[in-house]
Amino acid sequence: MQTREPVWTILKVLQWTTSYFKSLRIEGPRMAAEILLAHALGLSRIDLYLRYDQPLSAEELAEYKALIKRRAKREPVAYIVGSKEFWSMELAVTTDVLIPRPETECLVEQAIERMPGVGQDIVWNVLELGTGSGAIILALAAERPQNRYFASDRSEKALRIAGKNAEKHGLADSVRFFVGDWFAPLKPEASFFNLIVSNPPYVAAGEISGLEPEVRDYEPRFALDGGSDGLASLSLLIGRASAFLKSGGYLILEMGYDQAAGVESAAKNEKAFESVEIVKDYAGLDRLAIMKKRGTAVG
Ligand code: GLN
């Protein structure tokens, strides 16, 4: 008599993977299983719910298993499937860029609050430094299409991803991307920008080895490493931004939950700023510093 192979239906596969991921203490085990299975089958997650009883073919099962193995080695789901949702936009990501984080949406919100509304006849010049996947600048460009947007990264590979994301969301004509290290490609005498935003590397170098393996082993180190105290890039941006800002212009920076004091003192040393405000993220942690250049806003 022949023993029958168990039938691996979509539901069974999801249940098995969820408990496997749980045993490995992987966060969001069911969600990860669903995203990976949907990716392997070329379906959406909703499609999975409608086909719980559908059996997987041997090829489908093999393809899915390969994805599970990668996640078990702690590769982030976003890198495995090559995309991540941010501000309701599906963005391409590779290991050349940081995976956009939900807390970075706070930066987008704060920037939008300060920008002129759609329909107002005012056009802002907006700059993002270290754009990575383009998440921040594309969210802003989508929300306030009347403005002029500029975004840079020192990684050409990152800029290719950002450019692809701009195309994908019909924003290729809205944002000018350029390569370079922070302010290096720009002329300070221009004082051109109404708003400069950045989510720079801000993790203290010595703390990187203690991060989750997903971050430590897969995300680009140059997007995380903020020098010995984590403040190297933040201080550089605070020290130099005012020369590029118009009077009354804003600098909005993402920072670490424990960096408010360091960032505030750097901002207060810069006489060009009239104020610095610390804003918390959804988890109640200090996450943003918002600096305003002295003077009245001019357009
Ligand atoms: N928030 C990131 C983390 O989870 C750090 C991002 C950054 O350095 N800009 O570690």
Side-chain angles (χ1 to χ4, degrees), residues 4-242:
R4 275 210 293 152
E5 294 273 318
V7 177
W8 284 104
T9 61
I10 284 182
L11 181 60
K12 269 200 189 160
V13 162
L14 288 176
Q15 287 168 339
W16 184 89
T17 316
T18 304
S19 57
Y20 176 55
F21 282 166
K22 258 189 204 155
S23 73
L24 298 174
R25 297 181 193 285
I26 281 174
E27 246 186 74
R30 176 77 183 206
M31 169 96 121
E34 289 180 7
I35 295 174
L36 294 175
L37 185 56
H39 184 73
L41 301 180
L43 298 173
S44 71
R45 279 174 64 209
I46 305 287
D47 290 331
L48 296 181
Y49 304 143
L50 303 175
R51 300 177 193 207
Y52 269 169
D53 296 329
Q54 182 179 306
L56 269 67
S57 71
E59 296 78 49
E60 288 170 337
L61 211 48
E63 176 146 347
Y64 177 64
K65 271 190 194 160
L67 305 185
I68 297 303
K69 275 190 190 152
R70 288 170 67 180
R71 186 67 191 103
K73 288 186 190 150
R74 306 297 291 262
E75 183 172 349
V77 171
Y79 289 146
I80 300 174
V81 303
S83 74
K84 174 77 183 177
E85 189 175 309
F86 181 83
W87 203 262
S88 302
M89 297 184 298
E90 202 62 40
L91 298 176
V93 293
T94 68
T95 50
D96 294 313
V97 300
L98 203 70
I99 298 166
R101 310 282 204 268
E103 56 266 33
T104 303
E105 294 189 341
C106 299
L107 191 160
V108 172
E109 276 173 11
Q110 292 294 327
I112 289 171
E113 256 179 46
R114 285 163 179 81
M115 283 178 174
V118 177
Q120 274 183 268
D121 221 8
I122 307 166
V123 176
W124 271 23
N125 296 322
V126 179
L127 171 67
E128 183 189 8
L129 297 170
T131 191
S133 65
I136 297 172
I137 203 79
L138 294 175
L140 297 178
E143 293 292 332
R144 292 289 183 274
Q146 80 274 21
N147 294 324
R148 282 184 286 264
Y149 294 94
F150 305 82
S152 74
D153 205 287
R154 69 179 162 194
S155 157
E156 295 198 32
K157 285 181 179 167
L159 283 176
R160 275 201 285 279
I161 307 294
K164 184 171 154 182
N165 284 326
E167 286 286 340
K168 186 172 169 184
H169 293 281
L171 295 166
D173 294 334
S174 314
V175 185
R176 277 187 52 191
F177 292 101
F178 58 98
V179 67
D181 206 16
W182 303 130
F183 293 102
L186 298 165
K187 292 191 186 71
E189 59 270 23
S191 288
F192 181 67
F193 298 103
N194 302 81
L195 170 65
I196 300 176
V197 296
S198 183
N199 172 18
Y202 56 67
V203 182
E207 284 170 18
I208 291 180
S209 63
L211 297 176
E212 292 293 325
E214 281 83 353
V215 181
R216 181 191 66 208
D217 300 339
Y218 292 93
E219 299 210 79
R221 197 185 165 103
F222 64 80
L224 296 167
D225 189 339
S228 58
D229 59 359
L231 291 168
S233 298
L234 288 164
S235 306
L236 181 148
L237 294 172
I238 292 167
R240 301 207 50 210
S242 69

